[in-house]
Amino acid sequence: MAGKDRILVLGPTGAIGRHIVWASVKAGNPTYVLVRDTPSTVNKPRLVTAANPETRDELLQNFQNAGVFLIQGDMNDHQSLVNAIKQVDVVICSFGRLLIEDQVKIIAAIKEAGNIKRFFPSEFGLDVDRHDAVEPVREVFEEKAKIRRVIEAEGVPYTYLCCHAFTGYFLRNLAQIDITVPPRDKIYIQGDGNVKGAYVTEADVGTYTVEAVNDPNTLNKAVHIRLPANYLTLNEIVSLWEKKIGKSLEKIYVPEEKVLKDIQELSFPNNYLLALYHSQQIRGDAVYEIDPTRDVEASEAYPHVKYTTVDEYLNQFV
């Protein structure tokens, strides 16, 4: 592990944090996690539970068994946060949507500690500086964008990780509401189904995040995960699924006006998930040009990484 940066993961038992921890361990980076005495009680969508069945206690025990350093502390305890940060080189935050604005506390602790080479704020979705999302997602994206501006204003070295659509949210149910496996009879498709989306497994997000940690070329840039085999329209994904199950699905194309109405009428988490689907499938928020002065395309920067394709991911549900 000589020469590897020490990585601290905040939010290590969440839907993405756990995968970043395991990727860090696998890459040989000394890995630290900040653990509170009492976990948060946030109502998680069923999709998250289905994709990540391990409990918090099980995870923490497995982390310890793998040599991860568990540090007791709390984001709201400034001194414990500073003390934790002083032990590492890189801080990766993977907090959920309700804690995005609280990252100003992490930035303040990083500034006081004075030793951090890189901060990865909690993004791990669409590029928050390139989107046309509607509420309730827009507010979260705007909060993330505000954190970017604070980081830049404070002169904290950073990398932004834009991974777009987790397979656990977008693919295991083919973007359908209230199910956790792909449908076998009929499917509702937002818009015409021909807008490109970018899909990636949570485990692969962890891998690419740690690749970016260990890459000096990603300093003060955004890393975009749009993998060639996974940059697909929903129509293309449905066609893959139909071939696997040997039957055609009834396809119901939902116009944008109806989607927007449903988002307004549904409650959380369905309104939030539907707004995410709308952002990618109708507004095309994963479709944009890379600016090499501020962006890195992960598939081009790390061609050695063998990622899970959409085709391979769907095999588990056949």
Side-chain angles (χ1 to χ4, degrees):
M1 293 194 296
K4 292 280 190 177
D5 283 334
R6 298 164 297 172
I7 296 175
L8 171 65
V9 181
L10 306 177
T13 61
I16 187 61
R18 63 185 66 197
H19 295 287
I20 295 170
V21 172
W22 288 127
S24 178
V25 171
K26 184 177 180 181
N29 289 79
T31 307
Y32 299 69
V33 300
L34 190 70
V35 182
R36 291 184 296 177
D37 291 331
T38 54
S40 62
T41 55
V42 177
N43 180 32
K44 297 184 184 300
R46 288 190 304 129
L47 273 170
V48 178
T49 304
N52 303 281
E54 258 183 315
T55 68
R56 176 182 184 271
D57 290 341
E58 289 170 342
L59 266 177
L60 292 177
Q61 186 59 59
N62 290 338
F63 288 164
Q64 246 184 332
N65 294 344
V68 174
F69 300 96
L70 273 57
I71 304 175
Q72 291 293 325
D74 193 297
M75 179 182 62
N76 296 312
D77 181 344
H78 178 73
Q79 195 56 52
S80 74
L81 193 55
V82 171
N83 292 342
I85 288 170
K86 283 183 175 179
Q87 300 180 52
V88 299
D89 306 297
V90 175
V91 176
I92 301 175
C93 184
S94 59
F95 289 159
R97 62 187 178 84
L98 298 178
L99 298 175
I100 296 302
E101 292 183 312
D102 284 344
Q103 290 179 104
V104 293
K105 300 172 184 176
I106 301 168
I107 296 167
I110 287 173
K111 289 284 287 185
E112 181 172 328
N115 62 296
I116 292 303
K117 297 179 180 178
R118 199 93 62 93
F119 175 45
F120 287 65
S122 186
E123 296 227 352
F124 304 104
L126 296 167
D127 187 338
V128 297
D129 283 334
R130 292 181 174 109
H131 76 87
D132 192 23
V134 299
E135 296 297 357
V137 167
R138 173 175 287 274
E139 180 182 8
V140 176
F141 286 1
E142 289 177 348
E143 289 173 358
K144 291 182 177 182
K146 287 178 184 176
I147 292 298
R148 284 189 177 191
R149 306 293 86 85
V150 174
I151 291 168
E152 292 156 6
E154 292 292 335
V156 171
Y158 66 84
T159 299
Y160 305 139
L161 210 297
C162 308
C163 61
H164 302 284
F166 292 160
T167 53
Y169 278 83
F170 287 77
L171 201 57
R172 69 176 295 122
N173 62 348
L174 299 192
Q176 306 300 287
I177 296 297
D178 276 337
I179 61 173
T180 59
V181 293
R184 289 177 174 263
D185 297 310
K186 66 180 178 181
I187 184 167
Y188 292 89
I189 298 175
Q190 292 189 20
D192 62 11
N194 290 324
V195 178
K196 290 282 188 182
Y199 301 86
V200 61
T201 67
E202 289 85 337
D204 287 337
V205 172
T207 299
Y208 283 111
T209 300
V210 176
E211 288 283 345
V213 168
N214 294 322
D215 181 0
N217 294 322
T218 62
L219 177 63
N220 295 337
K221 290 186 177 181
V223 175
H224 304 261
I225 305 178
R226 296 186 299 180
L227 308 170
N230 293 0
Y231 196 43
L232 304 169
T233 69
L234 192 54
N235 283 335
E236 290 171 328
I237 293 170
V238 171
S239 178
L240 279 173
W241 177 240
E242 288 176 328
K243 289 176 183 176
K244 290 182 183 299
I245 63 174
K247 64 180 290 192
S248 296
L249 275 62
E250 176 189 356
K251 301 171 187 67
I252 302 166
Y253 291 90
V254 185
E256 184 174 19
E257 299 76 24
K258 177 66 165 64
V259 175
L260 292 172
K261 184 172 183 290
D262 289 343
I263 291 170
Q264 291 179 340
E265 293 177 351
L266 291 170
S267 59
F268 184 84
N270 287 349
N271 62 337
Y272 194 83
L273 290 170
L274 196 59
L276 284 174
Y277 301 156
H278 170 266
S279 171
Q280 178 164 257
Q281 294 173 21
I282 289 183
R283 294 291 169 88
D285 284 342
V287 181
Y288 52 83
E289 295 296 323
I290 285 289
D291 177 354
T293 65
R294 63 188 182 102
D295 300 317
V296 173
E297 189 79 74
S299 62
E300 296 175 2
Y302 317 115
H304 57 278
V305 174
K306 186 184 184 306
Y307 61 88
T308 299
T309 67
V310 168
D311 188 49
E312 292 166 342
Y313 179 83
L314 290 174
N315 286 337
Q316 67 184 296
F317 302 108
V318 176

